[in-house]
Amino acid sequence: MKANSQRVKGKNFRLLHGKPLFRWILDSLLSIEAIDEVVINTDARGILAENGLTDGKRVRIRDRKPELCGDTVSMNLILADDIAAVAADTYMMTHTTNPMLTPATIQAALAAYKTGVAEGRADSLFTVNKIQTRFYRADGSPVNHDPGNLIQTQDLEPWYEENSNLFIFSRESFAKTGARIGKQPILHVMDQMEAVDIDTPEDWALAEAVASLQTTQKAAAS
């Protein structure tokens, strides 16, 4: 969790639909009993304290090393530092910028990961968006379809987009690849309404709209 961001200034602490952005994913994670501890790697301990968050029973705040600060540092290097300092059987990584990710989706992904590991067919998991549409290269040539035979898009071969919402892995799988995605990953499809990843002002506006819709739906159901 960085103090500063390039395209949406101060986004991690900015109010999203009345609540600081970082609290959305933090509240979801803390609502899941299977998660023993939430580790926040940050250069903004002071700002978190100003927003009422300090180290607690299930929250550990780790000060990001100076050499790991900056916009061009690979997240895998930050994860390597956390893994070296925090012992665990299973690591789950997400971002402050994924406010719509729900506890239900997190729990479903964790269950799929554990089943995959137990059956020997997976060593990691990451969430994706399933996309079935017509893609073209910059020169106008088709990538995944025949323009002369326009079959229904739902009949096209699906493509999967990493949506940066959730990654699950072990110390062993990380050691093999030096990355959060192992050699045998599960691609876990999730609802695209939840898959908002805030990088731009447009992403922020979309997250606000989704949050407003969710509030309206909850009020109507109560």
Side-chain angles (χ1 to χ4, degrees):
M1 189 187 304
K2 297 187 298 183
N4 299 307
S5 56
Q6 289 179 296
R7 288 174 284 186
V8 182
K9 298 301 181 184
K11 65 182 177 183
N12 290 332
F13 312 97
R14 180 176 166 183
L15 292 182
L16 175 72
H17 206 63
K19 185 165 69 172
L21 181 63
F22 77 87
R23 289 265 20 153
W24 285 80
I25 189 62
L26 180 60
D27 289 346
S28 292
L29 293 171
L30 291 176
S31 72
I32 301 172
E33 293 183 4
I35 296 177
D36 297 315
E37 185 178 39
V38 177
V39 178
I40 302 173
N41 190 305
T42 184
D43 62 353
R45 181 184 289 268
I47 302 177
L48 286 173
E50 291 172 5
N51 283 272
L53 184 66
T54 57
D55 289 281
K57 184 177 179 181
R58 293 177 64 205
V59 175
R60 185 193 313 195
I61 300 174
R62 297 196 68 236
D63 296 308
R64 187 166 298 182
K65 295 177 179 178
E67 62 268 28
L68 296 178
C69 292
D71 296 320
T72 60
V73 176
S74 169
M75 181 55 66
N76 285 323
L77 294 178
I78 296 171
L79 285 172
D81 183 64
D82 282 333
I83 291 169
V86 181
D89 294 326
T90 302
Y91 296 90
M92 176 184 293
M93 184 243 170
T94 186
H95 299 279
T96 306
T97 51
N98 305 138
M100 300 296 106
L101 183 59
T102 65
T105 295
I106 296 170
Q107 289 172 311
L110 184 57
Y113 166 79
K114 289 184 174 180
T115 298
V117 170
E119 294 177 352
R121 56 180 174 80
D123 65 356
S124 55
L125 176 148
F126 64 101
T127 53
V128 297
N129 298 327
K130 180 180 178 181
I131 301 175
Q132 288 175 282
T133 190
R134 299 182 181 94
F135 288 99
Y136 293 84
R137 299 178 182 86
D139 63 2
S141 60
V143 174
N144 65 330
H145 68 285
D146 177 5
N149 180 25
L150 294 179
I151 64 174
Q152 297 181 102
T153 54
Q154 60 263 40
D155 293 329
L156 290 171
E157 176 187 357
W159 286 46
Y160 297 91
E161 176 191 23
E162 178 187 327
N163 60 32
S164 293
N165 268 244
L166 193 66
F167 302 85
I168 307 176
F169 52 92
S170 67
R171 182 184 296 271
E172 291 73 24
S173 70
F174 190 91
K176 290 178 181 178
T177 62
R180 56 197 179 184
I181 298 176
K183 293 181 177 294
Q184 293 179 284
I186 293 172
L187 278 63
H188 188 76
V189 178
M190 61 178 284
D191 186 338
Q192 291 193 39
M193 287 288 284
E194 291 185 43
V196 179
D197 184 40
I198 300 176
D199 282 328
T200 66
E202 291 78 13
D203 294 333
W204 185 279
L206 177 59
E208 281 278 12
V210 175
S212 179
L213 177 62
Q214 289 181 346
T215 300
T216 301
Q217 290 174 336
K218 289 177 182 178
S222 62

